[in-house]
Amino acid sequence: MGAPRRCFSVEMKVLPQEIIESPPWHPRFEEPTICPPLDFARIHLIKDKDGIDDYLAKNIKGLSKQEAAANRKSYKENICIDMLRQGYHKSFSELFTLIQKWNALREAAGPGSAIWQRQSLEEQPDKLDQLYHFLTRAEAAQRAGHSEEVFDNQLNVAYCFDDPEEKQLRNYLYEQCFNTAQLIKTDGGKRQAQAHAHMGLINEEQGHVMKAAEHYEAFYQLTEGSTWKDETGHTYNSLACEHLWRIYILLADKMLENKEQQQAIKTLIKAIRMAKTGGDKKMEGEAAYCLSLVYHFAGEDKTALSILNTSIKIFTALHDSAGLKRAYEATDKILVSQGKVAESLTYLEEFKKVAENANLSQSVVDACVLIGNIYNARGNYDKALEYFTQAFEAANTSNNLSLANETRTYCGIARAHKLMVVFNSHIAAEDPISLKYLLAWKENRSDVCTDPLTVELDGETSPCEPPPETSPCESLPETQILDHS
């Protein structure tokens, strides 16, 4: 089986969206059963004349009327007739329902959609084989009162519709599994747990966060103390912890949207508890980060900073550059809002040092940019340029072109701000010499010259030689130069 497909998360309005990754596509709790192809004639699938002649030569010898009729009918018709002959009327009805629903999905998606480009369900003999196999066995098990077998076969029918375009069919079948699971009392709650997990994902996918939370909580309670594992080797309980962690963060976001900060705090504490129970430090760090933001929103900055420190320790141990950036950025904002700029710079210098020691080039860039932004906002453009240049050099080392271009832009911004100081001073001077400097710079500005305001005042100074006054901005190394022409 390939990598699990993913569905879209509920959009968050207050907390950062990047914290919540899309949940895994519905997990395979059991390996899907593959049935052998059925022994029905597939002559209608053979398109070329030679193929038909070969099939007839090998198979059409002394056929009975029934066999001859089977070769004239479509594969779907043969399957349906066989279902009815064997008395599987419910399976026949369910197959027709699935085909009708599939066709309705295709029509609703319209031309150009992925499902429109595919063969119809009636023209997919392998899938029809699977549906025949599992539907008839589910019906036989239901007659015999074996609910466990009914559930297993219904689940395998759902697995037949694994593509995102078929999710409505898949959801319809998972709901059937959920109803069947409520009848099972002999497996310790294993199948009920599976059904609750699927229903939780369906509700989360549809944006029903509270309903999803109810299913995930039931999933968690049913799996406590169990050793059940899905096909990837993850225990059901750790999967339940992950789902609850995610849904509690989504619930907290909705609470914050409604200004229910204290409820959001309680919910995020539950998210941290789930992360710890599941043994996932990454989730624990993210939940702690979210909790610190809520405390900040509630005006409890001291508590927020303490929790952020916990989050930073977790992300540092994990070498998680993205997490470190978010946590240090939040720390910076809180300290600056309190007027503690020097303390914020100390924290960020520590961030830079930790990143350098751990060889986290992305984090080095993040730290330098955050420090540069502080200096830039306070008019210290020399220091801002110094740190933005360090960020650019670190980005170049990582061979990340996009990051290098981004940091190059920061350098350009700092240099422009630095230039504006001198430019504005010449404007404010309102004297002929300053005007000549400005006109000469406008005519000849080039990063090749040491001084972009170079001017020939008495015909003796070359345009590329610096005048007596100090240069308003020093050029960056050639690789860092922005083209201002």
Side-chain angles (χ1 to χ4, degrees), residues 249-279:
I249 291 178
L250 291 172
L251 280 171
D253 185 76
K254 289 195 173 293
M255 291 167 183
L256 289 173
E257 202 177 347
N258 296 326
K259 310 298 181 186
E260 299 170 351
Q261 291 170 344
Q262 292 306 312
Q263 283 299 108
I265 287 171
K266 291 177 183 177
T267 303
L268 286 170
I269 289 172
K270 289 165 71 176
I272 293 174
R273 191 180 304 128
M274 282 299 105
K276 288 180 176 178
T277 303

Side-chain angles (χ1 to χ4, degrees), residues 65-283:
K65 288 184 179 181
Q66 278 188 339
E67 290 169 331
N71 282 291
R72 289 195 297 269
K73 291 181 172 62
S74 72
Y75 198 65
K76 182 205 77 172
E77 288 173 325
N78 285 332
I79 280 181
C80 290
I81 290 169
D82 194 73
M83 281 180 171
L84 292 173
R85 278 185 183 146
Q86 296 190 47
Y88 292 118
H89 301 281
K90 186 175 179 181
S91 299
F92 168 81
S93 175
E94 185 67 12
L95 179 61
F96 254 84
T97 298
L98 292 173
I99 290 172
Q100 288 174 344
K101 286 180 177 290
W102 196 95
N103 289 337
L105 287 177
R106 186 172 181 273
E107 289 296 326
S113 63
I115 195 170
W116 189 274
Q117 307 302 322
R118 295 170 54 192
Q119 289 181 313
S120 71
L121 191 54
E122 301 172 43
E123 296 172 321
Q124 298 180 51
D126 291 332
K127 186 169 281 191
L128 288 174
D129 285 351
Q130 300 290 315
L131 294 175
Y132 175 97
H133 179 88
F134 296 122
L135 287 173
T136 54
R137 274 154 184 75
E139 185 173 352
Q142 189 174 43
R143 291 173 187 169
H146 299 151
S147 298
E148 298 92 336
E149 289 182 37
V150 176
F151 178 92
D152 294 342
N153 282 288
Q154 287 175 332
L155 195 58
N156 275 293
V157 174
Y159 289 163
C160 291
F161 300 98
D162 200 29
D163 290 326
E165 300 83 18
E166 301 172 325
K167 67 179 181 181
Q168 289 185 32
L169 270 178
R170 178 210 65 199
N171 293 350
Y172 161 75
L173 292 160
Y174 281 139
E175 287 172 12
Q176 289 187 348
C177 291
F178 179 77
N179 294 331
T180 302
Q182 309 315 305
L183 306 174
I184 301 171
K185 309 297 180 186
T186 58
D187 67 347
K190 183 177 181 180
R191 288 175 178 81
Q192 282 190 41
Q194 295 175 8
H196 277 294
H198 288 306
M199 292 304 295
L201 284 165
I202 289 171
N203 280 281
E204 182 182 349
E205 186 181 85
Q206 295 171 348
H208 307 315
V209 181
M210 286 297 296
K211 194 82 174 168
E214 291 173 12
H215 284 293
Y216 290 148
E217 284 169 353
F219 179 34
Y220 175 78
Q221 290 163 9
L222 287 164
T223 59
E224 273 191 295
S226 75
T227 56
W228 303 323
K229 293 183 180 181
D230 66 11
E231 67 168 11
T232 65
H234 292 98
T235 65
Y236 285 16
N237 191 250
S238 67
L239 191 58
C241 290
E242 180 186 340
H243 288 329
L244 279 174
W245 166 83
R246 186 180 62 253
I247 214 70
Y248 285 150
I249 291 178
L250 291 172
L251 280 171
D253 185 76
K254 289 195 173 293
M255 291 167 183
L256 289 173
E257 202 177 347
N258 296 326
K259 310 298 181 186
E260 299 170 351
Q261 291 170 344
Q262 292 306 312
Q263 283 299 108
I265 287 171
K266 291 177 183 177
T267 303
L268 286 170
I269 289 172
K270 289 165 71 176
I272 293 174
R273 191 180 304 128
M274 282 299 105
K276 288 180 176 178
T277 303
D280 193 311
K281 298 299 288 184
K282 165 76 171 170
M283 294 194 310

Side-chain angles (χ1 to χ4, degrees), residues 62 68 145 258 294 310 331 449 484:
N258 296 326
V294 181
T310 300
T331 302
C449 296
H484 298 292

